[in-house]
RNA sequence: GACCCUAUCGUCUAGCGGUUAGGACACCGCCCUUUCACGGCGGCGGCACGGGUUCGAUUCCCGUUAGGGUCGCCA
């Protein structure tokens, strides 16, 4: 039987990082088995269902590179979709639900109560076979002992989650339900519902939750709960995906950075860890740096230009070669695209501000004669490449008997306004002789 | 409160009866070096506790504790 799995988010206006991982694990399992990955939008709660909210999910999955074989193509509920088991929006599937509810009613498996329809839940414990956790026997809670039945259609006629989720999984031929562990106890209800419809339930795989650094369930309010955070902070999608793979699953062999193709080959449900994992931003940060370092220059440029545009720096105002050369000096240094700002902004400003902490030392009065000599040495250069600059600094320092740091540190501050940045000689070469001399002159005049 | 899941360094993990308990992130030193980053070397740091089973338990069983989740006419 061909594997059919689905990711079934509710359009809440953002894509939760835990939801993203659930989608990833479903996608991985589909790709590993050669099965089908389905995207279904659970928009039964009309109040918070907007096209924009659906687009957030679609765009988030696309950003991560999780392509679906069946499901909507756009956030338009009546728009086109892929696959022959649609519609893929629950709001478009009401007839199915009505038909199924009537069947339950006529078989005496559900009944009306105060305008709502309730499902006659079995009174015995339910065994949930789970590929990750093993067999779980769900006893009834105190509440359920009083009344185990649950509402499947609200008094306003709207079907509830448990009902529609099961009906859609049934009609879409879902073979494996891979979802968060927070659904584990729900599965008892779902299994009973499947049986009431006369079919065997799909296989279940409840994956552990992602906890925040405090150790509780990552909620909307937690920093980093929304996938959008990572898009905006300048993480590379492949790094985020790789990191998510490492939460609750391991490629073994003391490896951290694993190409997605290899993950697809190695991934399987029984090897998913059983315990929750805390989200560790530090490790994602490190991993992102790893991906940046091995990224092609073109991809780095693309992502870096976006990052700069977000903070109002329009690199289009500069020659393409200049922009590329500038960004090349940043690539080996940054771990995050958000950091490109402090590494590259001076390339794109006419007047730079000096970081105040550094000026006291580097722009001290006794430094001025040294910097004047350096300025003159630079002015006399015909070639202005990194090697020449390196040699010039060294020669001047040696001749005058200065530590090279006495030239290097102020020069960096003069050229970039900061104490930290790309390789000094390389960044000066990129800025070019004219800009460098301008910045020297401005700094020297400031020093009185 | 009831029900369910879980338990190896601070964090993510390897381990599947006998190991000096391995790796990664973070942190701390040293080296490299024009800052930072990278890289190299080294360090810190862990099997929650108590009973069993066994010649032998991190590993299997039970309990305790702790953490998490679920108990909606939300999804």
């Amino acid at each position: 039987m061909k594997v059919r799995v689905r990711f079934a988010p509710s359009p809440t206006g953002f894509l939760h990082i835990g939801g993203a991982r659930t989608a990833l694990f479903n996608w991985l399992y589909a790709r590993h088995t050669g099965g089908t990955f389905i995207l279904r939008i659970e928009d039964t709660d009309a109040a918070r269902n907007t096209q924009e909210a659906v687009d957030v999910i679609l765009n988030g999955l696309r950003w991560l590179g999780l392509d679906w074989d069946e499901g909507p193509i756009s956030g338009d509920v009546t728009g086109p979709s892929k696959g022959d088991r649609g519609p893929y929006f629950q709001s478009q599937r009401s007839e199915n639900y009505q038909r199924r509810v009537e069947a339950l009613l006529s078989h005496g498996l559900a009944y009306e109560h105060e305008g709502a329809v309730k499902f006659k839940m079995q009174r015995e414990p339910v065994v949930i076979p789970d590929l990750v956790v093993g067999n779980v026997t769900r006893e009834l809670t105190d509440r359920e002992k009083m009344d185990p039945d649950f509402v499947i259609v609200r008094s306003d006629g709207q079907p509830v989650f448990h009902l529609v989720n099961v009906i859609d999984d049934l009609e879409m031929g879902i073979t494996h339900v891979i979802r968060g562990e927070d659904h584990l106890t729900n599965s008892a209800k779902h299994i009973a519902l499947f049986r009431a419809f006369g079919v065997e339930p799909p296989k279940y795989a409840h994956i552990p939750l992602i906890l925040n650094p405090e150790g509780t369930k990552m909620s909307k309010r937690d920093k980093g709960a929304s996938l959008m955070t990572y898009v905006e902070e300048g993480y590379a999608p492949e790094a985020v995906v790789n990191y998510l793979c490492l939460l609750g699953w391991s490629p073994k062999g003391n490896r951290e950075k694993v190409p997605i193709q290899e993950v697809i080959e190695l991934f399987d449900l029984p090897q998913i860890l059983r315990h929750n994992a805390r989200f560790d931003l530090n490790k994602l940060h490190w991993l992102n740096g790893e991906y940046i370092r091995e990224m092609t220059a073109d991809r780095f440029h693309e992502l870096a230009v976006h990052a700069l545009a977000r903070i109002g720096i329009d690199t289009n105002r500069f020659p393409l070669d200049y922009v590329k050369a500038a960004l090349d000096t940043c690539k080996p240094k940054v771990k995050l695209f958000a950091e490109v700002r402090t590494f590259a902004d001076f390339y794109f400003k006419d007047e730079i501000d000096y970081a105040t902490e550094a000026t006291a030392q580097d722009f001290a009065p006794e430094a001025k004669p040294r910097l004047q000599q350096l300025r003159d040495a630079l002015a006399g250069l015909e070639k202005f490449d990194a090697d020449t600059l390196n040699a010039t600094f060294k020669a001047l320092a040696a001749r005058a008997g200065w530590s090279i740091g006495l030239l290097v540190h102020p020069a960096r501050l003069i050229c970039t306004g900061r104490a930290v940045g790309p390789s000094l000689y390389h960044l000066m070469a990129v800025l070019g002789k004219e800009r460098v001399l301008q910045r020297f002159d401005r700094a020297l005049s400031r020093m009185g």
Side-chain angles (χ1 to χ4, degrees):
Chain A
M1 182 172 56
K2 195 175 177 189
V3 165
R4 290 176 62 83
V5 294
R6 49 56 169 189
F7 177 53
S10 176
T12 57
F14 83 133
L15 182 52
H16 191 273
I17 190 73
R21 192 189 55 154
T22 300
L24 170 63
F25 279 20
N26 273 282
W27 180 86
L28 283 171
Y29 191 60
R31 295 295 170 261
H32 175 75
T33 57
T36 304
F37 177 55
I38 299 156
L39 175 63
R40 180 175 77 223
I41 305 298
E42 304 219 333
D43 59 343
T44 50
D45 187 357
R48 60 187 186 192
N49 171 30
T50 64
Q51 173 157 178
E52 292 74 50
V54 177
D55 282 333
V56 167
I57 292 167
L58 267 44
N59 292 335
L61 294 176
R62 288 188 178 120
W63 186 76
L64 290 166
L66 306 182
D67 55 315
W68 52 99
D69 307 304
E70 294 181 21
I73 289 170
S74 79
D76 177 5
V77 288
T78 56
S81 61
K82 294 184 279 190
D84 55 5
R85 303 280 196 116
Y88 294 92
F89 286 88
Q90 286 186 332
S91 59
Q92 306 302 303
R93 301 175 61 83
S94 334
E95 329 77 61
N96 300 300
Y97 309 139
Q98 281 170 23
R99 200 182 68 241
R100 292 283 184 176
V101 170
E102 275 156 29
L104 290 178
L105 251 12
S106 67
H107 286 84
L109 296 166
Y111 58 93
E112 288 192 51
H113 179 73
E114 292 185 11
V117 180
K118 293 184 80 171
F119 176 69
K120 251 190 208 167
M121 182 65 178
Q122 66 186 75
R123 317 276 129 154
E124 305 77 41
V126 178
V127 176
I128 305 161
D130 187 286
L131 265 19
V132 174
V133 187
N135 282 357
V136 176
T137 304
R138 240 307 296 277
E139 304 281 346
L140 276 67
T141 64
D142 278 359
R143 256 191 79 95
E144 290 166 340
K145 279 175 187 159
M146 295 171 67
D147 177 18
D149 300 343
F150 57 93
V151 171
I152 53 176
V153 181
R154 289 192 277 261
S155 49
D156 67 359
Q158 282 297 309
V160 307
F161 163 73
H162 300 298
L163 205 236
V164 297
N165 186 268
V166 164
I167 292 174
D168 289 345
D169 282 349
L170 191 166
E171 294 184 350
M172 290 183 180
I174 301 303
T175 60
H176 296 72
V177 171
I178 304 168
R179 56 175 23 162
E181 193 194 358
D182 49 346
H183 283 291
L184 183 53
T185 46
N186 283 336
S187 292
K189 292 175 179 169
H190 297 183
I191 286 171
L193 238 14
F194 273 107
R195 298 212 167 115
F197 288 125
V199 301
E200 273 305 295
K203 303 258 187 291
Y204 287 92
H206 289 94
I207 63 182
L209 301 180
I210 296 180
L211 270 26
N212 59 31
E214 286 71 48
T216 56
K217 187 179 175 182
M218 189 83 97
S219 80
K220 312 91 226 159
R221 284 186 297 280
D222 285 308
K223 165 115 176 74
S226 167
L227 186 72
M228 197 46 66
T229 313
Y230 305 96
V231 179
E232 286 169 356
E233 293 281 307
Y235 286 88
E238 53 269 42
V240 174
V241 166
N242 192 147
Y243 177 70
L244 253 19
C245 288
L246 263 25
L247 249 31
W249 179 82
S250 169
K252 311 280 176 78
N254 290 338
R255 303 200 308 151
E256 314 290 329
K257 185 162 168 290
V258 187
I260 194 67
Q261 261 317 318
E262 255 182 274
V263 176
I264 289 172
E265 285 163 31
L266 295 168
F267 187 85
D268 207 352
L269 265 14
Q271 286 135 32
I272 294 175
L273 274 301
R274 280 164 282 272
H275 58 267
N276 297 339
R278 296 192 194 201
F279 197 88
D280 181 9
L281 201 57
N282 273 327
K283 190 152 182 173
L284 171 57
H285 191 233
W286 164 77
L287 202 49
N288 203 60
E290 295 288 300
Y291 274 93
I292 284 181
R293 223 165 301 126
E294 72 148 28
M295 187 176 280
T296 64
D298 281 348
R299 179 151 173 76
F300 181 80
H301 294 154
E302 182 192 334
L303 295 171
V305 164
H306 279 298
L308 289 171
R310 262 198 293 275
I311 57 162
I313 294 177
D314 178 14
T315 51
N316 287 323
R317 291 170 43 236
F318 298 84
L320 188 58
D321 285 351
Y322 176 74
V323 175
K324 287 196 163 192
L327 294 177
D328 279 343
T329 65
C330 302
K331 184 168 177 281
K333 307 280 182 173
V334 300
K335 289 185 175 179
L336 196 60
F337 285 96
E339 293 166 7
V340 171
R341 169 193 207 149
T342 58
F343 271 76
D345 62 350
F346 65 87
Y347 283 121
F348 309 109
K349 287 181 174 176
D350 297 327
E351 285 219 346
I352 55 168
D353 305 315
Y354 304 115
T356 46
E357 324 83 67
T359 51
Q361 195 180 349
D362 291 342
F363 287 1
E366 63 267 28
K368 193 173 181 187
R370 289 195 293 262
L371 296 175
Q372 187 64 56
Q373 284 193 52
L374 177 59
R375 189 253 178 235
D376 293 341
L378 294 172
L381 292 177
E382 287 185 12
K383 283 178 69 182
F384 213 72
D385 58 64
D387 287 343
T388 306
L389 289 163
N390 186 353
T392 305
F393 273 69
K394 279 195 175 134
L396 176 57
R399 190 174 350 116
W402 300 327
S403 149
I404 195 153
L406 290 175
L407 296 176
V408 161
H409 297 298
R412 173 179 296 282
L413 189 62
I414 287 168
C415 292
T416 73
R418 300 178 193 277
V420 174
S423 162
L424 177 64
Y425 307 130
H426 289 88
L427 76 84
M428 288 175 73
V430 172
L431 278 172
K433 187 172 172 180
E434 191 184 335
R435 279 197 192 82
V436 167
L437 291 179
Q438 274 172 8
R439 291 181 190 198
F440 264 82
D441 290 341
R442 174 162 169 265
L444 286 165
S445 68
R446 267 192 153 210
M447 292 168 72

